Amino acid sequence: MLKAPMNERLVRVQRGTPMGEAFRRFWLPVCQLKDLHPGGAPLEVRLLGEDLLAFRGPEGDAGVVDRFCAHRGADLRYARNEVGGLRCIFHGWKYAGDGRCVEIPNVPEGDRICPRVKIRSYPVESKGGLLWCYMGPPEQLPPFPVLPWMSKGEAHWSGTFVQVESEGNYLQHIEGLCDGSHVGFLHANLQGGGGGSRFVQSAAFSDRTPQWAYLEDTIYGAALAMERDAGAGKRNLRLNQFLLPFSVEVPTPPPYAVSSWQTNIPMDDERTMFLYTSWYDPEPVEELRARVGDRSYEIPALQPGSYKPVLNRSNAYGQDRGEFMQRQSFSGMRNLRLEDMAVAEYVRGGLVADRSAETLVSSDLAIVKVRARLLALADKLEQQGHLREETMAVASHRIVPAEMDIEPGEDVAQRCRSAGVSNVELDREFAVASACLDSTYRFV
Ligand code: FES
Ligand SMILES: [Fe+2]
């Protein structure tokens, strides 16, 4: 359980809150690049409680700016998207991608006022199929994170992201991803295996009382490994990586043995945007899909023009309590993402969970670890005024998740380190990154 003041520290993401400030020290995913058309409609983005617009100008240059016009607050989602910026359709004021007002055409004094007018804007990067932005103090701009799937080359990762808007505070959704014990229940197929309407065989479904074998705080987040009985005297180990500020890397069981990056982006305190992509080393993802059948994460049907699913809390996520739930699916739901949403959106206390009356057990140890890691992040920012080491570790690491068999008595910590948590390598890369950055970045 978590007392109310600690819970408040963890869940609030607005500017000026401990977690909101910590998150603003990292590069954050904003949206998929494919959803931004050069010269097209700006995309509404709600990020850490701020109303923003993402757009690409007619020449392809991207920007993230405040959603509302500095003049009388008209909604810039309707703005004309011109070369050199967005023009408000109310009185024609124009803003460049960096937020500067460059034209006030409706009054004689426009040229004189213009240099003093600005809307909020954030630095952006277009990488790995996503638009990213940095919302923190300019003097603490961190290096851009090279995540494992980005360094593989596009053929080896899924360019089609799953993007689904959920209700509920971000932490509830992260906790779901870090909780290996739910998989054998929530996502189970009653005829064996799992995946709701799908069928995947894995130790995650055959051993439903797994144990945490390795939980470690790291500079980049936390390493979380769960051990299961894999039958025939074998033990199975699944290593998830929690990456600051709010992503989790997860291995997927064979035959579709891809790894995935799953992030739960806080839109505000009560809404979360889920983004998922996967990567595979040995061959291009498309070839793997064709060979084993497409078992990629299923996107639930979305409402037109939005990332909100058609099946949601208002219609019980389409739960089918008839034959389907009696004979086939543990949850009675037909989509893995909807299953996760059903248990994380609206929990005790509402859309922001009250954690003061939980009954935590050993399967919840990873959740405790992740909460503590996030609280430590906020503490460090308050005490030292920067998150230099953390942002650099995320930027320079080569951390991957892993699924493996282990022998009885094997040193699990050592195995995890060599399979995915290469701390030695991390330290070495961190030292290199530090040396490079010392001369480039000033931290107050
Ligand atoms: S409100 Fe945008 S130009 Fe007047
Ligand atoms: Fe799940």
Side-chain angles (χ1 to χ4, degrees):
M1 67 163 249
L2 206 58
K3 290 196 173 133
M6 278 299 169
N7 198 44
E8 281 294 297
R9 261 178 96 69
L10 268 172
V11 297
R12 302 293 164 197
V13 299
Q14 310 280 338
R15 189 173 285 280
T17 61
M19 248 23 265
E21 287 303 311
F23 290 165
R24 282 171 172 79
R25 286 345 191 240
F26 292 83
W27 280 99
L28 305 177
V30 176
C31 63
Q32 301 178 65
L33 285 172
K34 76 172 177 59
D35 291 343
L36 294 181
H37 306 292
L43 187 73
E44 297 166 55
V45 174
R46 181 102 171 130
L47 185 55
L48 302 184
E50 298 185 24
D51 280 314
L52 305 170
L53 291 174
F55 68 99
R56 291 171 82 185
E59 293 172 337
D61 45 315
V64 170
V65 297
D66 193 354
R67 179 166 164 178
F68 302 107
C69 180
H71 178 212
R72 300 230 314 270
D75 192 342
L76 293 172
R77 67 171 286 209
Y78 307 113
R80 298 176 63 84
N81 188 346
E82 301 178 352
V83 172
L86 295 179
R87 188 184 294 279
C88 180
I89 58 168
F90 203 173
H91 311 94
W93 293 25
K94 183 173 177 180
Y95 302 94
D98 61 4
R100 277 179 307 116
C101 183
V102 291
E103 221 180 300
I104 297 183
N106 68 321
V107 289
E109 69 275 23
D111 286 353
R112 185 166 49 78
I113 304 169
C114 205
R116 285 186 272 133
V117 179
K118 197 173 186 313
I119 54 173
R120 186 179 296 157
S121 77
Y122 295 118
V124 294
E125 284 274 2
S126 301
K127 290 246 169 73
L130 297 174
L131 182 69
W132 303 72
C133 80
Y134 171 70
M135 301 169 75
E139 69 278 12
Q140 294 190 17
L141 182 80
F144 191 81
V146 180
L147 297 166
W149 48 278
M150 289 179 185
S151 57
K152 299 292 175 204
E154 280 193 30
H156 292 260
W157 54 272
S158 169
T160 307
F161 290 82
V162 175
Q163 181 169 0
V164 182
E165 180 179 333
S166 304
E167 289 186 297
N169 183 259
Y170 79 96
L171 188 58
Q172 290 145 221
H173 295 280
I174 290 181
E175 289 177 348
L177 284 177
C178 296
D179 163 22
S181 159
H182 80 277
V183 177
F185 297 92
L186 181 66
H187 302 311
N189 187 315
L190 295 178
Q191 288 151 23
S197 60
R198 300 170 305 153
F199 193 85
V200 180
Q201 285 294 357
S202 156
F205 300 107
S206 51
D207 179 0
R208 298 163 99 195
T209 51
Q211 306 287 309
W212 287 110
Y214 177 68
L215 295 168
E216 185 179 285
D217 288 327
T218 62
I219 310 174
Y220 61 80
L224 317 165
M226 186 159 248
E227 188 178 338
R228 293 180 171 90
D229 182 353
K234 286 192 175 153
R235 308 290 299 168
N236 170 273
L237 195 67
R238 281 169 63 82
L239 171 66
N240 285 6
Q241 304 281 10
F242 171 60
L243 294 182
L244 293 169
F246 37 62
S247 304
V248 182
E249 290 177 356
V250 182
T252 305
Y256 199 73
V258 295
S259 299
S260 62
W261 171 83
Q262 310 190 29
T263 195
N264 281 292
I265 308 160
M267 299 171 72
D268 51 37
D269 293 346
E270 298 189 339
R271 281 186 291 167
T272 303
M273 190 65 85
F274 175 75
L275 255 179
Y276 168 108
T277 195
S278 54
W279 73 86
Y280 187 62
D281 281 325
E283 63 183 308
V285 163
E286 289 310 319
E287 288 172 27
L288 174 76
R289 284 207 174 120
R291 193 163 53 75
V292 303
D294 190 346
R295 288 194 182 279
S296 58
Y297 205 104
E298 297 163 81
I299 307 176
L302 301 177
Q303 298 172 29
S306 107
Y307 298 110
K308 293 179 184 166
V310 173
L311 298 175
N312 52 48
R313 189 156 65 97
S314 71
N315 45 36
Y317 305 91
Q319 188 180 39
D320 176 352
R321 304 185 73 91
E323 252 330 72
F324 184 62
M325 193 165 176
Q326 296 305 314
R327 298 192 185 282
Q328 194 173 339
S329 160
F330 188 83
S331 70
M333 294 171 194
R334 288 187 160 80
N335 179 281
L336 190 141
R337 180 61 198 160
L338 295 181
E339 287 168 340
D340 283 331
M341 286 168 64
V343 295
E345 287 196 317
Y346 187 73
V347 296
R348 186 188 294 110
L351 297 177
V352 179
D354 170 3
R355 294 180 170 79
S356 65
E358 296 170 325
T359 311
L360 296 183
V361 291
S362 62
S363 66
D364 302 310
L365 280 170
I367 288 169
V368 173
K369 191 71 151 174
V370 167
R371 290 176 188 172
R373 186 68 191 86
L374 285 169
L375 285 169
L377 189 76
D379 290 347
K380 182 181 168 189
L381 181 61
E382 284 180 349
Q383 287 157 15
Q384 300 188 20
H386 66 82
L387 295 174
R388 182 186 193 190
E389 290 77 13
E390 289 77 4
T391 54
M392 286 205 302
V394 170
S396 61
H397 76 73
R398 295 289 183 277
I399 302 302
V400 291
E403 171 149 354
M404 60 205 121
D405 286 335
I406 50 166
E407 301 298 327
E410 196 174 340
D411 183 341
V412 170
Q414 189 49 43
R415 191 71 194 280
C416 285
R417 287 195 179 110
S418 57
V421 197
S422 182
N423 282 338
V424 174
E425 193 174 319
L426 176 70
D427 290 345
R428 184 174 56 73
E429 292 198 4
F430 178 64
V432 172
S434 291
C436 298
L437 290 164
D438 270 344
S439 55
T440 319
Y441 292 92
R442 272 187 316 109
F443 287 85
V444 289

PDB file of all heavy atoms in Angstrom, residues 68-76 87-95 103-106, ligand 1:
ATOM      1  N   PHE A  68      -3.442  27.159 -28.385  1.00  0.00           N
ATOM      2  CA  PHE A  68      -4.325  28.318 -28.456  1.00  0.00           C
ATOM      3  C   PHE A  68      -3.577  29.596 -28.861  1.00  0.00           C
ATOM      4  O   PHE A  68      -2.453  29.846 -28.433  1.00  0.00           O
ATOM      5  CB  PHE A  68      -5.040  28.507 -27.119  1.00  0.00           C
ATOM      6  CG  PHE A  68      -5.826  27.285 -26.734  1.00  0.00           C
ATOM      7  CD1 PHE A  68      -5.398  26.438 -25.714  1.00  0.00           C
ATOM      8  CD2 PHE A  68      -6.976  26.953 -27.442  1.00  0.00           C
ATOM      9  CE1 PHE A  68      -6.104  25.285 -25.399  1.00  0.00           C
ATOM     10  CE2 PHE A  68      -7.694  25.798 -27.128  1.00  0.00           C
ATOM     11  CZ  PHE A  68      -7.252  24.958 -26.102  1.00  0.00           C
ATOM     12  N   CYS A  69      -4.245  30.407 -29.640  1.00  0.00           N
ATOM     13  CA  CYS A  69      -3.683  31.636 -30.187  1.00  0.00           C
ATOM     14  C   CYS A  69      -3.442  32.646 -29.067  1.00  0.00           C
ATOM     15  O   CYS A  69      -4.246  32.789 -28.135  1.00  0.00           O
ATOM     16  CB  CYS A  69      -4.659  32.200 -31.205  1.00  0.00           C
ATOM     17  SG  CYS A  69      -4.106  33.720 -31.979  1.00  0.00           S
ATOM     18  N   ALA A  70      -2.324  33.372 -29.179  1.00  0.00           N
ATOM     19  CA  ALA A  70      -1.973  34.358 -28.141  1.00  0.00           C
ATOM     20  C   ALA A  70      -2.935  35.546 -28.145  1.00  0.00           C
ATOM     21  O   ALA A  70      -3.064  36.245 -27.152  1.00  0.00           O
ATOM     22  CB  ALA A  70      -0.544  34.849 -28.356  1.00  0.00           C
ATOM     23  N   HIS A  71      -3.626  35.770 -29.249  1.00  0.00           N
ATOM     24  CA  HIS A  71      -4.510  36.927 -29.351  1.00  0.00           C
ATOM     25  C   HIS A  71      -5.732  36.752 -28.453  1.00  0.00           C
ATOM     26  O   HIS A  71      -5.775  37.255 -27.338  1.00  0.00           O
ATOM     27  CB  HIS A  71      -4.916  37.142 -30.822  1.00  0.00           C
ATOM     28  CG  HIS A  71      -5.857  38.291 -31.033  1.00  0.00           C
ATOM     29  ND1 HIS A  71      -6.805  38.285 -32.020  1.00  0.00           N
ATOM     30  CD2 HIS A  71      -5.988  39.472 -30.381  1.00  0.00           C
ATOM     31  CE1 HIS A  71      -7.484  39.419 -31.977  1.00  0.00           C
ATOM     32  NE2 HIS A  71      -6.990  40.149 -30.980  1.00  0.00           N
ATOM     33  N   ARG A  72      -6.714  36.013 -28.883  1.00  0.00           N
ATOM     34  CA  ARG A  72      -7.891  35.823 -28.046  1.00  0.00           C
ATOM     35  C   ARG A  72      -8.181  34.353 -27.824  1.00  0.00           C
ATOM     36  O   ARG A  72      -9.300  33.974 -27.488  1.00  0.00           O
ATOM     37  CB  ARG A  72      -9.086  36.541 -28.671  1.00  0.00           C
ATOM     38  CG  ARG A  72      -8.868  38.067 -28.822  1.00  0.00           C
ATOM     39  CD  ARG A  72      -9.999  38.904 -28.267  1.00  0.00           C
ATOM     40  NE  ARG A  72     -11.315  38.412 -28.663  1.00  0.00           N
ATOM     41  CZ  ARG A  72     -11.979  38.794 -29.789  1.00  0.00           C
ATOM     42  NH1 ARG A  72     -11.440  39.679 -30.591  1.00  0.00           N
ATOM     43  NH2 ARG A  72     -13.157  38.299 -30.058  1.00  0.00           N
ATOM     44  N   GLY A  73      -7.148  33.533 -27.995  1.00  0.00           N
ATOM     45  CA  GLY A  73      -7.252  32.139 -27.562  1.00  0.00           C
ATOM     46  C   GLY A  73      -7.987  31.208 -28.503  1.00  0.00           C
ATOM     47  O   GLY A  73      -8.405  30.117 -28.080  1.00  0.00           O
ATOM     48  N   ALA A  74      -8.129  31.589 -29.766  1.00  0.00           N
ATOM     49  CA  ALA A  74      -8.813  30.673 -30.694  1.00  0.00           C
ATOM     50  C   ALA A  74      -8.007  29.377 -30.822  1.00  0.00           C
ATOM     51  O   ALA A  74      -6.793  29.353 -30.642  1.00  0.00           O
ATOM     52  CB  ALA A  74      -8.972  31.337 -32.058  1.00  0.00           C
ATOM     53  N   ASP A  75      -8.710  28.314 -31.177  1.00  0.00           N
ATOM     54  CA  ASP A  75      -8.110  26.984 -31.273  1.00  0.00           C
ATOM     55  C   ASP A  75      -7.312  26.886 -32.573  1.00  0.00           C
ATOM     56  O   ASP A  75      -7.882  26.961 -33.672  1.00  0.00           O
ATOM     57  CB  ASP A  75      -9.234  25.947 -31.242  1.00  0.00           C
ATOM     58  CG  ASP A  75      -8.718  24.536 -31.043  1.00  0.00           C
ATOM     59  OD1 ASP A  75      -7.511  24.312 -31.273  1.00  0.00           O
ATOM     60  OD2 ASP A  75      -9.514  23.670 -30.642  1.00  0.00           O
ATOM     61  N   LEU A  76      -5.999  26.689 -32.437  1.00  0.00           N
ATOM     62  CA  LEU A  76      -5.137  26.644 -33.621  1.00  0.00           C
ATOM     63  C   LEU A  76      -5.202  25.304 -34.357  1.00  0.00           C
ATOM     64  O   LEU A  76      -4.523  25.124 -35.357  1.00  0.00           O
ATOM     65  CB  LEU A  76      -3.693  26.981 -33.243  1.00  0.00           C
ATOM     66  CG  LEU A  76      -3.461  28.438 -32.785  1.00  0.00           C
ATOM     67  CD1 LEU A  76      -2.043  28.608 -32.241  1.00  0.00           C
ATOM     68  CD2 LEU A  76      -3.699  29.420 -33.938  1.00  0.00           C
ATOM     69  N   ARG A  87      -1.257  29.753 -39.275  1.00  0.00           N
ATOM     70  CA  ARG A  87      -1.939  31.047 -39.254  1.00  0.00           C
ATOM     71  C   ARG A  87      -3.340  30.866 -38.678  1.00  0.00           C
ATOM     72  O   ARG A  87      -4.151  30.087 -39.200  1.00  0.00           O
ATOM     73  CB  ARG A  87      -2.028  31.637 -40.671  1.00  0.00           C
ATOM     74  CG  ARG A  87      -2.562  33.071 -40.672  1.00  0.00           C
ATOM     75  CD  ARG A  87      -2.729  33.594 -42.088  1.00  0.00           C
ATOM     76  NE  ARG A  87      -1.492  33.750 -42.824  1.00  0.00           N
ATOM     77  CZ  ARG A  87      -0.653  34.796 -42.709  1.00  0.00           C
ATOM     78  NH1 ARG A  87      -0.908  35.749 -41.842  1.00  0.00           N
ATOM     79  NH2 ARG A  87       0.442  34.862 -43.449  1.00  0.00           N
ATOM     80  N   CYS A  88      -3.614  31.571 -37.590  1.00  0.00           N
ATOM     81  CA  CYS A  88      -4.913  31.489 -36.931  1.00  0.00           C
ATOM     82  C   CYS A  88      -6.010  31.948 -37.897  1.00  0.00           C
ATOM     83  O   CYS A  88      -5.868  32.982 -38.559  1.00  0.00           O
ATOM     84  CB  CYS A  88      -4.894  32.366 -35.675  1.00  0.00           C
ATOM     85  SG  CYS A  88      -6.443  32.356 -34.755  1.00  0.00           S
ATOM     86  N   ILE A  89      -7.112  31.184 -37.956  1.00  0.00           N
ATOM     87  CA  ILE A  89      -8.155  31.544 -38.921  1.00  0.00           C
ATOM     88  C   ILE A  89      -9.059  32.666 -38.405  1.00  0.00           C
ATOM     89  O   ILE A  89      -9.898  33.181 -39.142  1.00  0.00           O
ATOM     90  CB  ILE A  89      -9.034  30.334 -39.328  1.00  0.00           C
ATOM     91  CG1 ILE A  89      -9.694  29.698 -38.100  1.00  0.00           C
ATOM     92  CG2 ILE A  89      -8.237  29.319 -40.118  1.00  0.00           C
ATOM     93  CD1 ILE A  89     -10.791  28.703 -38.475  1.00  0.00           C
ATOM     94  N   PHE A  90      -8.886  33.092 -37.130  1.00  0.00           N
ATOM     95  CA  PHE A  90      -9.763  34.130 -36.584  1.00  0.00           C
ATOM     96  C   PHE A  90      -9.377  35.516 -37.127  1.00  0.00           C
ATOM     97  O   PHE A  90     -10.172  36.173 -37.799  1.00  0.00           O
ATOM     98  CB  PHE A  90      -9.676  34.084 -35.051  1.00  0.00           C
ATOM     99  CG  PHE A  90     -10.867  34.668 -34.328  1.00  0.00           C
ATOM    100  CD1 PHE A  90     -10.960  34.554 -32.939  1.00  0.00           C
ATOM    101  CD2 PHE A  90     -11.893  35.323 -35.007  1.00  0.00           C
ATOM    102  CE1 PHE A  90     -12.051  35.087 -32.257  1.00  0.00           C
ATOM    103  CE2 PHE A  90     -12.978  35.859 -34.331  1.00  0.00           C
ATOM    104  CZ  PHE A  90     -13.060  35.744 -32.942  1.00  0.00           C
ATOM    105  N   HIS A  91      -8.106  35.947 -36.880  1.00  0.00           N
ATOM    106  CA  HIS A  91      -7.689  37.260 -37.368  1.00  0.00           C
ATOM    107  C   HIS A  91      -6.356  37.218 -38.110  1.00  0.00           C
ATOM    108  O   HIS A  91      -5.729  38.237 -38.332  1.00  0.00           O
ATOM    109  CB  HIS A  91      -7.559  38.260 -36.209  1.00  0.00           C
ATOM    110  CG  HIS A  91      -8.731  38.286 -35.298  1.00  0.00           C
ATOM    111  ND1 HIS A  91      -8.791  37.539 -34.130  1.00  0.00           N
ATOM    112  CD2 HIS A  91      -9.918  38.946 -35.376  1.00  0.00           C
ATOM    113  CE1 HIS A  91      -9.945  37.737 -33.527  1.00  0.00           C
ATOM    114  NE2 HIS A  91     -10.656  38.591 -34.258  1.00  0.00           N
ATOM    115  N   GLY A  92      -5.885  35.986 -38.400  1.00  0.00           N
ATOM    116  CA  GLY A  92      -4.737  35.847 -39.281  1.00  0.00           C
ATOM    117  C   GLY A  92      -3.359  35.952 -38.640  1.00  0.00           C
ATOM    118  O   GLY A  92      -2.351  36.033 -39.349  1.00  0.00           O
ATOM    119  N   TRP A  93      -3.266  35.955 -37.319  1.00  0.00           N
ATOM    120  CA  TRP A  93      -1.935  35.977 -36.708  1.00  0.00           C
ATOM    121  C   TRP A  93      -1.203  34.685 -37.075  1.00  0.00           C
ATOM    122  O   TRP A  93      -1.810  33.613 -37.089  1.00  0.00           O
ATOM    123  CB  TRP A  93      -2.028  36.098 -35.170  1.00  0.00           C
ATOM    124  CG  TRP A  93      -2.579  37.422 -34.682  1.00  0.00           C
ATOM    125  CD1 TRP A  93      -3.398  38.272 -35.356  1.00  0.00           C
ATOM    126  CD2 TRP A  93      -2.346  38.019 -33.402  1.00  0.00           C
ATOM    127  NE1 TRP A  93      -3.706  39.365 -34.593  1.00  0.00           N
ATOM    128  CE2 TRP A  93      -3.063  39.235 -33.370  1.00  0.00           C
ATOM    129  CE3 TRP A  93      -1.609  37.655 -32.280  1.00  0.00           C
ATOM    130  CZ2 TRP A  93      -3.057  40.082 -32.263  1.00  0.00           C
ATOM    131  CZ3 TRP A  93      -1.600  38.489 -31.170  1.00  0.00           C
ATOM    132  CH2 TRP A  93      -2.318  39.700 -31.175  1.00  0.00           C
ATOM    133  N   LYS A  94       0.113  34.833 -37.324  1.00  0.00           N
ATOM    134  CA  LYS A  94       0.869  33.664 -37.788  1.00  0.00           C
ATOM    135  C   LYS A  94       2.023  33.341 -36.834  1.00  0.00           C
ATOM    136  O   LYS A  94       2.704  34.248 -36.355  1.00  0.00           O
ATOM    137  CB  LYS A  94       1.421  33.930 -39.194  1.00  0.00           C
ATOM    138  CG  LYS A  94       2.169  32.762 -39.802  1.00  0.00           C
ATOM    139  CD  LYS A  94       2.546  33.032 -41.250  1.00  0.00           C
ATOM    140  CE  LYS A  94       3.363  31.891 -41.829  1.00  0.00           C
ATOM    141  NZ  LYS A  94       3.729  32.117 -43.216  1.00  0.00           N
ATOM    142  N   TYR A  95       2.226  32.033 -36.576  1.00  0.00           N
ATOM    143  CA  TYR A  95       3.251  31.574 -35.627  1.00  0.00           C
ATOM    144  C   TYR A  95       4.210  30.604 -36.310  1.00  0.00           C
ATOM    145  O   TYR A  95       3.770  29.638 -36.962  1.00  0.00           O
ATOM    146  CB  TYR A  95       2.604  30.861 -34.439  1.00  0.00           C
ATOM    147  CG  TYR A  95       1.612  31.742 -33.711  1.00  0.00           C
ATOM    148  CD1 TYR A  95       0.253  31.699 -34.026  1.00  0.00           C
ATOM    149  CD2 TYR A  95       2.038  32.642 -32.741  1.00  0.00           C
ATOM    150  CE1 TYR A  95      -0.654  32.523 -33.379  1.00  0.00           C
ATOM    151  CE2 TYR A  95       1.134  33.472 -32.087  1.00  0.00           C
ATOM    152  CZ  TYR A  95      -0.208  33.414 -32.418  1.00  0.00           C
ATOM    153  OH  TYR A  95      -1.107  34.235 -31.786  1.00  0.00           O
ATOM    154  N   GLU A 103       3.609  37.366 -37.802  1.00  0.00           N
ATOM    155  CA  GLU A 103       2.740  38.274 -38.561  1.00  0.00           C
ATOM    156  C   GLU A 103       1.474  38.594 -37.770  1.00  0.00           C
ATOM    157  O   GLU A 103       0.830  37.681 -37.238  1.00  0.00           O
ATOM    158  CB  GLU A 103       2.350  37.616 -39.880  1.00  0.00           C
ATOM    159  CG  GLU A 103       2.364  38.577 -41.063  1.00  0.00           C
ATOM    160  CD  GLU A 103       1.975  37.858 -42.349  1.00  0.00           C
ATOM    161  OE1 GLU A 103       2.698  36.899 -42.720  1.00  0.00           O
ATOM    162  OE2 GLU A 103       0.950  38.226 -42.931  1.00  0.00           O
ATOM    163  N   ILE A 104       1.158  39.875 -37.664  1.00  0.00           N
ATOM    164  CA  ILE A 104      -0.121  40.311 -37.102  1.00  0.00           C
ATOM    165  C   ILE A 104      -0.744  41.252 -38.136  1.00  0.00           C
ATOM    166  O   ILE A 104      -0.509  42.458 -38.131  1.00  0.00           O
ATOM    167  CB  ILE A 104       0.077  41.014 -35.730  1.00  0.00           C
ATOM    168  CG1 ILE A 104       0.670  40.033 -34.721  1.00  0.00           C
ATOM    169  CG2 ILE A 104      -1.246  41.580 -35.217  1.00  0.00           C
ATOM    170  CD1 ILE A 104       0.849  40.589 -33.315  1.00  0.00           C
ATOM    171  N   PRO A 105      -1.529  40.679 -39.050  1.00  0.00           N
ATOM    172  CA  PRO A 105      -1.959  41.464 -40.213  1.00  0.00           C
ATOM    173  C   PRO A 105      -3.249  42.263 -40.008  1.00  0.00           C
ATOM    174  O   PRO A 105      -3.620  43.033 -40.892  1.00  0.00           O
ATOM    175  CB  PRO A 105      -2.165  40.386 -41.275  1.00  0.00           C
ATOM    176  CG  PRO A 105      -2.552  39.167 -40.501  1.00  0.00           C
ATOM    177  CD  PRO A 105      -1.918  39.268 -39.152  1.00  0.00           C
ATOM    178  N   ASN A 106      -3.914  42.140 -38.859  1.00  0.00           N
ATOM    179  CA  ASN A 106      -5.248  42.737 -38.761  1.00  0.00           C
ATOM    180  C   ASN A 106      -5.254  44.120 -38.129  1.00  0.00           C
ATOM    181  O   ASN A 106      -6.326  44.718 -37.987  1.00  0.00           O
ATOM    182  CB  ASN A 106      -6.207  41.817 -37.993  1.00  0.00           C
ATOM    183  CG  ASN A 106      -5.847  41.680 -36.525  1.00  0.00           C
ATOM    184  OD1 ASN A 106      -4.670  41.596 -36.183  1.00  0.00           O
ATOM    185  ND2 ASN A 106      -6.830  41.681 -35.654  1.00  0.00           N
TER     186      ASN A 106
HETATM  187  S1  FES B   1      -7.658  34.772 -31.874  1.00  0.00           S
HETATM  188 FE1  FES B   1      -6.128  34.108 -33.239  1.00  0.00          FE
HETATM  189  S2  FES B   1      -5.784  35.838 -34.477  1.00  0.00           S
HETATM  190 FE2  FES B   1      -7.325  36.491 -33.130  1.00  0.00          FE
END
